[in-house]
Amino acid sequence: MPSVRFRLNGTETAVDADPDQTLLGALRGPLGLPGTHFGCGANECGACYVMVGDRAMASCDMPLWSVADKDITTVEGLGDANHPHPLQRAFIAEQAMQCGYCISGILVSAAALLKRNPAPTETDVRQALDRNLCRCGSHNRIVRAVLRAASEMARP
C-alpha cells in the first residue's frame, strides 16, 4: 500500500493506507486521533473539520491523497489538558458546549478564523462558523468564546 506523507499537528507523518480513503478515516483509524468526528459524511455539518493550512475543511469527503505535503491540524493539535489553546480555555469559561459532538469542528473552524483574522468581529465569527451545525443551541456562547479567545490572544 502506498504511503501518503503530510504534516499532522506539526509533525511529519506518513500513513500507509489506500490514498482514496478519506482523511477522516485515516485520522480516526491508523493515526489514532478520535477528536475529529464523523457527522453527515457529506460535507454538510462541520463535525469532521480539520485545518488544512489556514482553512477549515471537511475531512469526511477529502481523499487522503489530496493532503500530501500539506499542513493538517486537528483538534488534538490545538492544545491539551496541560497546555490548552486559548479557544479551549474560552469555551470552558463561556460554557460554550453541551453535548460536545460538534465542538471539535467548531474549535478548528474558529482556530482557522483566528489564524487568518486575529481580531474578528461578531459578524466575522458567525460567518466563519456558519457551516458548523450545533443542535444544542450554544451558538451565542460559542461566538462569545471565540471573541474572548481572540481578545486573550491579542494581549502581549
Side-chain angles (χ1 to χ4, degrees):
M1 197 155 301
S3 182
V4 178
R5 297 180 180 281
F6 53 96
R7 284 164 302 287
L8 178 61
N9 298 329
T11 302
E12 290 293 328
T13 302
V15 61
D16 293 326
D18 179 352
D20 289 325
Q21 173 184 0
T22 64
L23 175 59
L24 177 63
L27 291 171
R28 293 185 61 82
L31 294 170
L33 296 174
T36 305
H37 294 152
F38 178 85
C40 66
N43 189 5
E44 295 290 330
C45 72
C48 70
Y49 277 12
V50 297
M51 200 177 337
V52 180
D54 66 354
R55 300 281 177 200
M57 299 179 74
S59 62
C60 70
D61 65 353
M62 180 182 296
L64 190 55
W65 60 261
S66 71
V67 300
D69 300 320
K70 294 186 179 173
D71 290 302
I72 307 299
T73 305
T74 67
V75 69
E76 291 94 346
L78 295 181
D80 59 35
N82 294 324
H83 301 95
H85 188 280
L87 280 164
Q88 292 165 318
R89 286 193 298 271
F91 271 61
I92 292 167
E94 294 290 339
Q95 298 179 21
M97 56 197 130
Q98 287 185 32
C99 82
Y101 201 82
C102 65
I103 292 300
S104 63
I106 289 173
L107 284 166
V108 167
S109 292
L113 167 66
L114 295 179
K115 193 171 188 179
R116 292 186 322 276
N117 178 0
T121 65
E122 179 179 334
T123 299
D124 295 333
V125 174
R126 289 185 185 281
Q127 287 175 344
L129 301 180
D130 187 55
R131 301 244 3 216
N132 295 89
L133 301 182
C134 173
R135 301 287 187 222
C136 296
S138 301
H139 292 77
N140 291 330
R141 288 178 287 175
I142 289 168
V143 171
R144 281 196 307 268
V146 174
L147 293 171
R148 180 184 190 131
S151 176
E152 178 184 331
M153 293 168 72
R155 285 188 226 129

